[in-house]
Structures are given as structure tokens and as C-alpha cells.
């Protein structure tokens, strides 16, 4: 009992979470009030007689913003709710972490990309950028799902977003790479940052398996629903920040084709590699999405539909083999307990995508692109950077190297911070268990045992509405 | 047995529901055929050589319409499905009520706002307006969830929509207030109407708690999913009827920021105010949304991102304290059994929003807005109404007062109508219970007990397809 | 045991599914690489100084494409997950079949409609067309849900898409009928094709009912969620391929009104026709949608809102009576075991829609349409086909007849192919059972019996992540 109460105390959110959240909110609100103002599309003062309201960029940006919101809050939320008793944690900590990550990224990216006249200028375009930073945090979250408290997750977001901001600044503003779908900047960064964190948060006892790690029929269905939302809106993710017009059109096409190819392949490999010739829901939930990442780095280029298809197949195959053979090896030998297998879905596929992107850059010519060549590959303009394709290939490699190094080091350092005391880290026993951080409702069977109204302490905490629980209190008092 | 069969008879929908629905349908179809025609964007006859099809307003309106449809049918539907054994009722009665409310609002609002040349002129813009009226009904529904039959809900919609229509006509057409997000007109109206209804439908026995009021693990997850849909598309709700261009752009930004702030705050307060330092799913489902209401009345103004953030925090705090302390008081002392706590999520937040709106109006100046001042605050045009900011503040207060009074009185009167006999009102015992109005499938355990095909009466009613049930019948006969 | 292992072998997907999928993928990728290129909206080479990126057709097409994606992958997916133990099958085989059907339709429709200069030209518009072909396959799938293996479903898609392609080519390119919402071409085709298939796949033992055919509380909720997604986005489906401008505007209005009317009617009839005066979830899931089909053939015409309303009511009534009286008859007398009742939701409603369409064509006049008459009914242009309304009515009838004949014959032939050996057709006993094709997680109760980590063979196959299962393996070895 003593050890039980100690555990309870060390993971109670009662003081820890509010203190951290209010501190972060004060920080955000002070910085917003000092530094954040409207951009020229949201500032009433900058509109005049000649402004055409319908030409406001919000009409170009908002549809993509909304689609990506669905991916982040609903797609990721459902996908991460696959554990038997960690559905609340998966869906709700995703909600909390994503919300803070976006707020914070607005500031961090603001300083790097939208800062002039002493102010960060804000419009929906900033929100789209912040959503990408948020996606990075959520992918990394996948590596430590079920093993971290909401306090730790907020600290992780607090640290990961600035490291990402710096990397983005280097890669986008200085190296000026082609990476429309974010295969390098988003997926590889998120993957190696997450691996860095989980390397430090290694829990040897989990290598023996954990009684709560399984899924249920319902949780598997919910998780597939999340996959489907990610699948359906992924074209918006990959095209949101590409050039308008045919570039964006191609990005949509290629993403759709890549995802299609990886989905078919995933079903085939799932049956082929299973002992009993049955499909595994984990494969359906994860491996089907590999194509979305694999087409990323070249998604806006003239790679041809057939090549997008092949990329989807390749990415899916690498991802599946990764789940089957590489992840166990990483966990046993390298202390990399990658809970959702992000190294397979975002790492291996990201590497393939990077290589494909380099090939597409090397093959790009005026014959294929016409004058558009100097838009999609603007660094080739002689009046500008005047890089050759080969030089650019080198920049892509440099970007790859720096992204992986910075993210891995950042992840390791963040992991060390997350090991500090007072962050409510769950004990091994309570990993993957909503009981630790949530008032979980009683099971139907337990609940229906007693037919009369119950007003016990447990009951009260489970009531949907504080309203009712207080009715109970009133009858107790 | 006798009392049981009496109960069954008094709540059977077999005659009551079809009679009411067919009466309503005949009413609607007659009024549609006499009064409803196409508007100039849908009427083929009014298009000519100079019409640019792509400039049809449908392309501006439809995306917002679709987003709000998702909020109403899927967001509300899932959110209201939180009760242990009332998931069908929550989701399906929402579907029924919303569908009728929109049909009816097209007529009612049509007479007030789209009526000329002896006809109501119809386009997608009418549907957006009707969705707002529908949202009003659904919010009020939250106060009496689980305690009303579908017949009562349709009657409520039948009465609430015209009362709302009149209020809207007064507030929008005559008082001409600023209320882009509908904090006064939608949220406060819906809240006090719902409280009026529930005041009359008071059930003393429910103050003791009810055995079916709890949630389950699955129902909590489904309800959070509803919250997430509302959260993601709320910017569309708050901006759908604002001025195009920068006004709409700001409305999207502020709604997002307000929701973000209230979400973070909700997690902090949920942990802080719980006895055991754990999070409550009811808070995640409801309190996170407070910011969307709180920014409503000033959502299109130049309030600055930081103020939107602070409004989100304030609204969330008021909402949370309301759930914790005010709702129990209202229920015990004032007979206000507010099932979903709409007074917290829509009432308290609506009041804060109204005050914030008045402040924003008083502070609005040409310095901040430039010439746009006379668009966002068109009543200030000297060539028009020529109101000063202070005068307008007074109009806002008048609007607040009239909205609350009309809605409360309307709610009370509607409640009295709902107490009429023959409306299939559930008995106390069968509140929050799908068994009363639905053929509920057997539990898995019960069902799997008998392995051979079963053709009992119970079984038949549970079959997915009447097809199969008739196979059973055929073997019985 | 012997018969058990035989069954296992005959339905193992281990070899069958990968062989078929890889064969199809090779076929697709070869045809894509030889025949598929970019269209003039996606090809960088065809853009020049005068190209306005924001006028790229992707911005007109993508929103509708995305909405229909949600319908196909999420709407259908959830709707078909209604069986007690076939949720994985419903949702996941829908995912697989839809993915392949779209890939394949891009090629088939490409040859018929987008082929010039020796190449199929690809843009998002092709994807929308392919989604319609995909919807056809998924509707037919409804007739044989739970009784077919994924191998059979892929073969069905492989055969149905070309038959549909030919029919589409005849009906659209040659007969040039009015059928904006696809009531004839999509719904009737899909219905009679599906009936043809299920006629051949007749399983007498299922006429006795099947122990796994029921639903659960959770599966019914998930299925309603699917219905709501279909309901909300159906206007996009019905308007995606109509003329821009007022035609598309009307299509949205009429679809919404038709669905609204059928939803109200469905609730009334569900209560009226049930023995105990309770609502049936199967009706809510299916019959509410009838109006979307019934308005289809005349959805872009000046039929007036009231007539759209009446069409919704009529379609719903026919659909409901079909479920109640016709389906059992078809199953008993005509060997037509129509698992989801597609003949009611797509067949009867499609017939009504066809008749309504013919009436609307006969009544169309310059008085109502003005010069737009010759756009919506372009075959009436004297400079073109110069058909009269009456002639066109005849063409509509011919289209109806040819669609039904071709689809029924195509369905029967496809059914014969599906009876070939090696297609992993489930035994009667394992119909509607996910155990056959999926590694299904243990029930919560079973799982929680043993608290220590389990590494049995069963356990391994149930693990979410191969990662963990290999941890287990490592401890076993």
C-alpha cells in the first residue's frame, strides 16, 4: 500500500500539470502580446479600396489548413488510440500535445520566417507551417506512446519545436532544398528525434512484453479509422506548401498514387509474411501509409505517375520489412524501443524518398519542365543561386545529414530532460494504462451490478457531469 | 406487468412519431411548393451570356456549409453519444432533430430574410443560415438529453426555430449588432431556451442520480471524437457569415487561438480541480471548446491574437468553474437540470464574449481599422445609421437583454407544450436508455450463448436486415 | 481437425492474395508507364508565362475529390462495418477494394475518355471519375458482404470496372443522357451487377439465418457514423461532374433537400412498420440515404425544391417497403441474397429517379431555363444533335435498359468467375467472421485473465506491433 501511494503521488497531475501549463500559457501570452501582430492579409488597416476581398490568401490556405487539422487532431488521435487500455491517452494526449505544439510553433517559426519590423506577422499561412511542426512532434510522440506523462509530452514539445525551427531555418532558408512533402525535414527529423528520446527513456522491463500492450476489436477499428483520415487528406499535407498551379496539382496526384500503391502492397505483404496467412490490423493501420512519405521529397516534380506508383511499392516494402526484422533488432541491441515503429513508417521511407528526390533533381531538364524548371527548382536560376543539378544533389545530402544529426542529438538531450524528477513519468507497471492519468469509467458489467444509484468516491469521479456527481455529494452530506 | 405494458404503450413511437412526422412533412412540402423558389444564383433563367459560372456564390458558401454540416451531424452526434446506454439516442435523435430543424428554418428564416416578390429565394447561403438555427436547437437539446422522446424533440424544434427567427430578425435586422460568431444570438439564445425547457421538465427523482447516467470507455472515446470534429471546424462556424476578406481571415485566426488557449487551460484545470489529480473525460469533451464561444462576438475585429488567447483562457475558466460549482447549485435550488451543462459551455462563455465584444466596439478606431472601420462596423457610417461606438454598446446590451428574455420565456412555454400528453415522454426509469425507443442488439455475450440460428421475436427485431429477419419468419411459419 | 485444417488451407491468404496483388500491381505499373502521362493541367511543360496558377482546374476539382474520398473510404468503410464480428472485414476490405478499383478505373476510363496522342492524360478530374467507378464496385460489394474473400473482391473489381467502363462509354458518349447524380449509370448499374453476382454465389444455408449476422451496440454506432459521412458529403457526389455555376448550385440544394426528406420519412416509417413501435438502426443506417439517389437523375434541373422534397419522400418509402417486403421475396424465390439490401437503396430508388428525370426532361422549356436550356440539355442544340425532349426521353429509356441488361449479365458472368477454385471463398460457417482472414485480438476478458506477459503463438499474432511480438519470440527462443 505504501509503494502504491508513493506511485500515486509521483504521477499525480494535480500540481505538476497545472503549474507547467499555466507557466507555458503565461509565456505564450506574453510573447504573443509583445511580438505577434496581423500580417497584411489579416490586418484591417492594410486593406483599401483596391483590395479584392475574395483574393485574400485565406481562400487559398484555409482549405488545406482545415484538411491538415483533421489529420492532426482526428487522424493521429484515432490512430494512436490502438492500445487496449490506452485509448484515452492516445487520443487525448495527442490533442493536448498538438494544441500546445502549434501555439509554440507559431512563435518559434514566427521568429525564423515571419519576423520583420520587430513583429511576427500572423495569418493562416503561419498556422499551416505550425501544423507541420506539430506533425513532427506527434510523429516523435509515436516512439514513446504509453510510456510518458502529459507533463513529459509538453516538455518534449517545448524542446522539439525550437530544435525543429532551427533545422527548418537551415534547410529551407539556407540549403534551399527540394522537399515539398517534408520527407527529410518532417519525417526524418521527427523519426530520429523520437528515436533519440526513446533511447534515453529505455525501459528494459518492457522488452519482456507488457500485459496491456495488446489491442481490442474496438481499438483496432478506431485506429484504422484514424489511418483512413490520414490517407484521405494526405494529398493536402504534401501539397499545402508547394507552388500553386501545376506543381500543387502534381503533388496531389503523386500522393494519391503513392498511397494507393503502398496500400495494395501492404495487404499483400501482410498476408505473405504472417505465419497463418491472415492479415494483421497493425499492418493495415501503419504500412498502408508508407507511400505518402516515400513520394514526399519529389512529390511536385515531373516524376511520372508510374514512378510515383513504384515509390509507393518500395516504401511500403521497406516499411513492412522494417517492422518485421529491423525494429526487433533495434529494440534488443540498440535500446531503441520504438513503440509505433516510426523508424519504419517515417525513417526508412524518408530515406528512400530522399534518394528518389535526388534522382529526380538530377534528371530534371528544360525538355521535361520547360521554363517551369526555374520555378520548381528556383536555385538553378542563373540570376539567383545558379546551382547545377549536381550541386543541388549535394545540398540535399547535406540537408539529410544535418537533419538526422541535429534531430538525433536534440532527441537525446530532450530525453535526458524528460528523465528529470517531478515530470510524472509512469512506472513500468502503469505504462499503456489510462488508469494512471484518467478517471476511467467502470466497465459495463461492473456498473450494472448495482442497480441503485451509487455515490461512492469512485462513482463520483466517473460521472459524466460534475453536475450529477454533486447531486450524489449532496445526498451524501 | 400491467404497469410495464402501460409504460410501453405510452412511449410507443408506432403511431405518435409517424403522425407527427407526416404532418410536418406535409406542412413543409406545401409551404415549399407555394413559397420557395430559387435565388438568383440557382435559377437557370437568371443566368445569361455575361454570367461567369465560376463566380457563382456557391463556391464561396459551399465549403463553409459542408464544414458546418460535419459539425452538426457528426460533431454534435458523436459528442452527445456519451451516455453508457444512450449512444443511439444521442447520435440518432441529433440526426432527426437537426434534419427537421434545418428544413423548418429554411422556411422561417426565409420569411424574415429572403422573402421578396412573394417568394422565399433559396440558395446554399440559406442553408448556412438554417444550420445556425439548427445549432441553436441542438445546443438546447443538450439540456434535456436523455429525458425527452423524439416526438418531444421535433415539437421543440418546431417551436424553437420560429422564436429564434423572431429574435434573429430583431437583433440582426433592427438592432444591427456585431456578433459574427453568434455568441449572443446563437449560444446565449440556445442556452436560456434550453434552461427554460428543462426548468419545466424538472424530474426530482433524477437529482438522486440515475443508474444509467454514466459513460463507458467506448462512449467516452466516441464523444471526444465529436469534440475534435467541433474543434477542428469551429473556425468555419465563426467565420461563415462574416465579411469576406480580412474579416473572415481574422475570424479563423481568433477562433483557432481561442480554442487552443481554452484547450490547454481545460487540461490544467481538470487536473487541478479533481480530487485525485487525474483528468476527467467530461472536461476534455466539453470545457476544451469554451474558447470557440468566448471569442465569438468579437471574432472578426482587430482584438489582437493575444487577446483572443486571453479570451480562450477566461472562457474556459468560467466554464470549468460553472461545471464544478454553479451547475449543482442550479439543479438543487433552481430546478435547472442542465444535462450537458450548456449553461457553462454556452451561457457563461457567451456572457464573457458579449462583454469582450462591447469592449472591442468601444475601442475600435480608424487608427486601427483604417477605412475598413465602416465595413466591420457599418452602423457607424454617417451616411447610414451614424451610430457612435457608445451608442452601439447600448444596442449590444439591449440585444443581450432581449435575447435572454425572449429565449427564456420561449423555453418555458415550449417546456409546457412538451408536458402535454401523447408526446411519448420517457418515464424516469427509462431516461438515458436506448431500450425505450430502439431495438437494441443483444450483448455479444448473450448473443454468443446460443450458437444455432435463433428466430425468436427478440432476435428478429435485432437483425440488421429485415431480409434476414424474414428468413427467420419464413422458417417459423 | 482434418476438415478444419482443410478449411484453413483453402482460405489462407498467404499465397493467394500476394500472388494476385503483385500480378495486378505489375499490370498496373506497366500500363501506367506505357500509357499514362500528365494532362495539360499537371504537365509543367505546358505551362507558360500566360498560365495563371490559381486558374488551374485542380482548385475546382480537388475539394469535390476530397469530399468523395471521405465518402468512399470513411463513409462506406464505417457503414459496412455493421456486422457483430465482421467490422474488420467491412472496413478493411472496403479499403482494399476501393484502392484497387480506383487505380484500375484510371486506366479503363482513361482509354475510353482521356486517351489522345497515344496516351491517357491524368489530372485530378480523372480521379473523380475513377471514384465514381469505385463507388459502383463498393455498392455491388454490399450485396455479397461477408460472403467473399479479399481475393474474390479484387477479382470482382477487376471485372466490374471494365464492364462499367463500356457502359459508361455507351451511355455518356453515345446516348448522351442526363444523369448528373448517376442514378442510372452508377446506382442501377451497381445494383444489378451486385445482384447478378450474388445470384450465382447463392448459399442456401444462409437462408436459415446465420449466428454471426447480428450487430452490436458499438457496430451499430460505427455504421451510423458512416451513414452520416455519406449524408453530409452526398451533395459533393451528386454535383462533382455537373456544369459549373447554377447547375452545380442546384445539384447541391436538391441533394440536401432530398436527403432531408428521406431522413424524416425513414424515422416515421421505421416506427410505423416495426412490431413494437421502436426504431431500427438498420433503417437509420440505410433508408435515410434513399433521397440522395432519388434526386440523382434530375439533380441539376429546375425541378423546384418542393419536388426534390417529394422525391426524397418517395424514394425513402420505396426503399423501406423494399427492405420489408421485396428483399425477403427475392431471397426466398429468386436466390438473390442481397446482404445490404442494395436493391432497395440503389435499385428501387434508381428507378424512381430515372422516371423523375424523364419527366423533368419532358417538362424542360426555354420559359424555365432561358438560354441555359441548351447547356443543361446540350443535345437540344440544333447546331448539335438537335434532339427533342421526347426523343431524349427515349434515349433515357434505352440507357436504362442497356445499363440494367449489361450490368446483370456482367454480374452473372463475374459471379461464375468468383466460383472458380483458389479464390479463398469462405465456408458458410465462416461467413461474416473476421477470424477467417484477420488476426483478431482477444476479448478484453480473455486477455485480462492472465496478468503476466504472454508469448503464446496466439498472443503473438494479436500484438499490435511486430516489434513487441518479436520481443516475445526472443524470450521464447
Amino acid at each position: 500500500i505504501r509503494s502504491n501511494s508513493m506511485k500515486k503521488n509521483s504521477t499525480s497531475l494535480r500540481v505538476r500539470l497545472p503549474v507547467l501549463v499555466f507557466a507555458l500559457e503565461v509565456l505564450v501570452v506574453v510573447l504573443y502580446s509583445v511580438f505577434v501582430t496581423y500580417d497584411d492579409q489579416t490586418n484591417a488597416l492594410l486593406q483599401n479600396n483596391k483590395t479584392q476581398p475574395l483574393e485574400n490568401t485565406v481562400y487559398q490556405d484555409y482549405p488545406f489548413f482545415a484538411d491538415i487539422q483533421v489529420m492532426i487532431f482526428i487522424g493521429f488521435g484515432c490512430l494512436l488510440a490502438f492500445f487496449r487500455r490506452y485509448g484515452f491517452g492516445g487520443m487525448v494526449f495527442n490533442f493536448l500535445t498538438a494544441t500546445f505544439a502549434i501555439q509554440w510553433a507559431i512563435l518559434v517559426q514566427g521568429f525564423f520566417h515571419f519576423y520583420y519590423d520587430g513583429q511576427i506577422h500572423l495569418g493562416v499561412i503561419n498556422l499551416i507551417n505550425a501544423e507541420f511542426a506539430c506533425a513532427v512532434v506527434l510523429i516523435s510522440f509515436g516512439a514513446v506512446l504509453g510510456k510518458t506523462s502529459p507533463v513529459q509530452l509538453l516538455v518534449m514539445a517545448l524542446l522539439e519545436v525550437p530544435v525543429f525551427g532551427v533545422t527548418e531555418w537551415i534547410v529551407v532558408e539556407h540549403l534551399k532544398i527540394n522537399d515539398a512533402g517534408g520527407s527529410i525535414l518532417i519525417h526524418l527529423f521527427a523519426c530520429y528525434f523520437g528515436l533519440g528520446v526513446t533511447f534515453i527513456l529505455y525501459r528494459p522491463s518492457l522488452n519482456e512484453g507488457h500485459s496491456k500492450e495488446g489491442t481490442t476489436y474496438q481499438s483496432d477499428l478506431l485506429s484504422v479509422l484514424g489511418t483512413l483520415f490520414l490517407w484521405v487528406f494526405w494529398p493536402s499535407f504534401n501539397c499545402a506548401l508547394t507552388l500553386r498551379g501545376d506543381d500543387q496539382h502534381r503533388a496531389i496526384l503523386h500522393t494519391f498514387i503513392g498511397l494507393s500503391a503502398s496500400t495494395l502492397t501492404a495487404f499483400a505483404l501482410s498476408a505473405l509474411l504472417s505465419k497463418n496467412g491472415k492479415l494483421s490490423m497493425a499492418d493495415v493501420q501503419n504500412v498502408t501509409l508508407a507511400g505518402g512519405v516515400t513520394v514526399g521529397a519529389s512529390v511536385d516534380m515531373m516524376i511520372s505517375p508510374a514512378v510515383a506508383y513504384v515509390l509507393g511499392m518500395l516504401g511500403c516494402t521497406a516499411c513492412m520489412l522494417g517492422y518485421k526484422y529491423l525494429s526487433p533488432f533495434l529494440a534488443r541491441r540498440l535500446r531503441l524501443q520504438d513503440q509505433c515503429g516510426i523508424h519504419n513508417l517515417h525513417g526508412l521511407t524518408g530515406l528512400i524518398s530522399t534518394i528518389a528526390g535526388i534522382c529526380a533533381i538530377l534528371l530534371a531538364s528544360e525538355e521535361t519542365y520547360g521554363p517551369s524548371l526555374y520555378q520548381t527548382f528556383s536555385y538553378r536560376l542563373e540570376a539567383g543561386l545558379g546551382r547545377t543539378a549536381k550541386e543541388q544533389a549535394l545540398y540535399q545530402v547535406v540537408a539529410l545529414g544535418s537533419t538526422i544529426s541535429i534531430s538525433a542529438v536534440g532527441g537525446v538531450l530532450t530525453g535526458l530532460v524528460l528523465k528529470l524528477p517531478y515530470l510524472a513519468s509512469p512506472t513500468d507497471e502503469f505504462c499503456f494504462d489510462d488508469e494512471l492519468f484518467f478517471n476511467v469509467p467502470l466497465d459495463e458489467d461492473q456498473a450494472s451490478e448495482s442497480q441503485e444509484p451509487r455515490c461512492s468516491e469512485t462513482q463520483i469521479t466517473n460521472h459524466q457531469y460534475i453536475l450529477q456527481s454533486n447531486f450524489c455529494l449532496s445526498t451524501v452530506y
Side-chain angles (χ1 to χ4, degrees), chain A:
Chain A
I1 278 169
R2 187 197 164 94
S3 99
N4 196 43
S5 88
M6 277 180 62
K7 167 195 61 71
K8 286 275 178 191
N9 289 341
S10 73
T11 59
S12 168
L13 301 176
R14 188 147 192 221
V15 178
R16 288 171 180 86
L17 187 64
V19 166
L20 176 61
V21 166
F22 291 138
L24 294 175
E25 290 196 318
V26 168
L27 176 71
V28 167
V29 91
V30 167
L31 291 174
Y32 273 38
S33 60
V34 177
F35 289 112
V36 179
T37 187
Y38 299 108
D39 71 9
D40 57 359
Q41 300 288 317
T42 44
N43 195 334
L45 196 54
L46 303 179
Q47 319 301 314
N48 57 38
N49 293 343
K50 292 179 192 161
T51 314
Q52 299 288 333
L54 290 178
E55 288 176 7
N56 194 296
T57 53
V58 72
Y59 302 111
Q60 294 163 41
D61 295 331
Y62 183 60
F64 295 117
F65 169 68
D67 287 358
I68 302 173
Q69 286 281 91
V70 172
M71 293 177 76
I72 283 182
F73 289 92
I74 294 161
F76 271 108
C78 291
L79 181 61
L80 295 178
F82 63 87
F83 278 128
R84 181 179 291 281
R85 296 304 293 172
Y86 201 67
F88 291 2
M91 192 180 268
V92 168
F93 293 158
N94 179 74
F95 187 17
L96 172 67
T97 311
T99 303
F100 172 67
I102 296 180
Q103 290 179 14
W104 183 227
I106 288 173
L107 282 164
V108 171
Q109 295 178 316
F111 280 112
F112 283 113
H113 304 290
F114 303 100
Y115 190 82
Y116 53 87
D117 299 344
Q119 299 257 277
I120 294 165
H121 293 76
L122 192 64
V124 168
I125 188 71
N126 306 49
L127 299 188
I128 294 181
N129 277 280
E131 281 177 319
F132 285 121
C134 169
V136 165
V137 176
L138 298 181
I139 294 168
S140 301
F141 174 27
V144 295
L145 182 73
K147 302 184 299 188
T148 37
S149 74
V151 178
Q152 289 178 300
L153 291 172
L154 288 175
V155 172
M156 188 174 99
L158 182 70
L159 300 176
E160 184 164 6
V161 169
V163 181
F164 173 75
V166 171
T167 314
E168 190 183 28
W169 177 71
I170 295 173
V171 163
V172 174
E173 305 270 323
H174 293 275
L175 300 175
K176 292 192 190 292
I177 65 164
N178 285 108
D179 188 19
S183 293
I184 299 172
L185 186 58
I186 294 173
H187 295 285
L188 284 173
F189 182 94
C191 167
Y192 288 99
F193 193 97
L195 292 185
V197 173
T198 203
F199 178 78
I200 300 295
L201 298 188
Y202 181 65
R203 291 171 184 257
S205 84
L206 295 190
N207 267 1
E208 317 291 315
H210 191 288
S211 66
K212 288 161 195 155
E213 251 176 351
T215 64
T216 65
Y217 199 71
Q218 295 302 325
S219 74
D220 268 331
L221 278 171
L222 190 62
S223 188
V224 174
L225 193 62
T227 300
L228 292 174
F229 275 108
L230 291 173
W231 203 95
V232 161
F233 291 112
W234 204 302
S236 294
F237 187 91
N238 272 0
C239 83
L241 294 182
T242 58
L243 289 177
R244 304 281 150 185
D246 60 303
D247 289 72
Q248 210 159 30
H249 203 155
R250 280 195 301 278
I252 289 169
L253 265 190
H254 293 151
T255 308
F256 177 82
I257 293 172
L259 283 169
S260 288
S262 72
T263 299
L264 272 196
T265 313
F267 278 91
L269 292 178
S270 184
L272 182 66
L273 298 178
S274 84
K275 290 206 169 52
N276 53 11
K278 296 184 180 183
L279 299 166
S280 150
M281 288 300 268
D283 299 334
V284 176
Q285 287 152 11
N286 294 284
V287 188
T288 51
L289 296 170
V293 184
T294 327
V295 295
S298 55
V299 79
D300 53 344
M301 305 181 192
M302 296 282 291
I303 56 174
S304 91
V307 167
Y309 199 97
V310 171
L311 283 175
M313 291 173 69
L314 282 180
C316 175
T317 308
C319 177
M320 181 63 101
L321 297 177
Y323 273 110
K324 194 82 183 169
Y325 303 109
L326 188 56
S327 285
F329 173 81
L330 293 179
R332 263 175 312 182
R333 304 292 176 194
L334 303 180
R335 298 169 35 125
L336 290 167
Q337 294 171 324
D338 175 4
Q339 213 57 39
C340 294
I342 60 169
H343 187 254
N344 310 307
L345 184 49
H346 303 275
L348 298 177
T349 52
L351 289 172
I352 295 177
S353 187
T354 309
I355 297 168
I358 290 175
C359 297
I361 287 169
L362 290 175
L363 293 170
S365 68
E366 267 194 68
E367 257 172 76
T368 321
Y369 290 84
S372 307
L373 184 69
Y374 304 98
Q375 295 181 333
T376 309
F377 309 91
S378 55
Y379 46 76
R380 291 179 71 161
L381 264 181
E382 298 208 4
L385 294 173
R387 293 185 195 162
T388 66
K390 278 187 190 164
E391 282 168 5
Q392 181 62 19
L394 216 67
Y395 279 97
Q396 301 280 128
V397 173
V398 171
L400 176 73
S402 13
T403 300
I404 292 180
S405 341
I406 301 177
S407 62
V409 171
V412 166
L413 296 176
T414 300
L416 291 171
V417 174
L418 297 189
K419 285 203 112 173
L420 292 179
Y422 303 112
L423 298 183
S425 175
T427 58
D428 286 5
E429 187 198 353
F430 276 86
C431 282
F432 320 114
D433 193 341
D434 282 333
E435 286 286 350
L436 192 61
F437 296 122
F438 290 93
N439 292 310
V440 177
L442 297 172
D443 281 353
E444 187 111 7
D445 302 334
Q446 297 168 260
S448 56
E449 271 165 26
S450 68
Q451 279 298 328
E452 74 270 39
R454 288 142 311 151
C455 292
S456 65
E457 168 69 21
T458 331
Q459 175 62 12
I460 287 164
T461 60
N462 290 327
H463 257 143
Q464 174 67 9
Y465 286 102
I466 296 146
L467 170 57
Q468 269 71 46
S469 59
N470 278 280
F471 290 160
C472 286
L473 282 172
S474 72
T475 61
V476 169
Y477 294 156

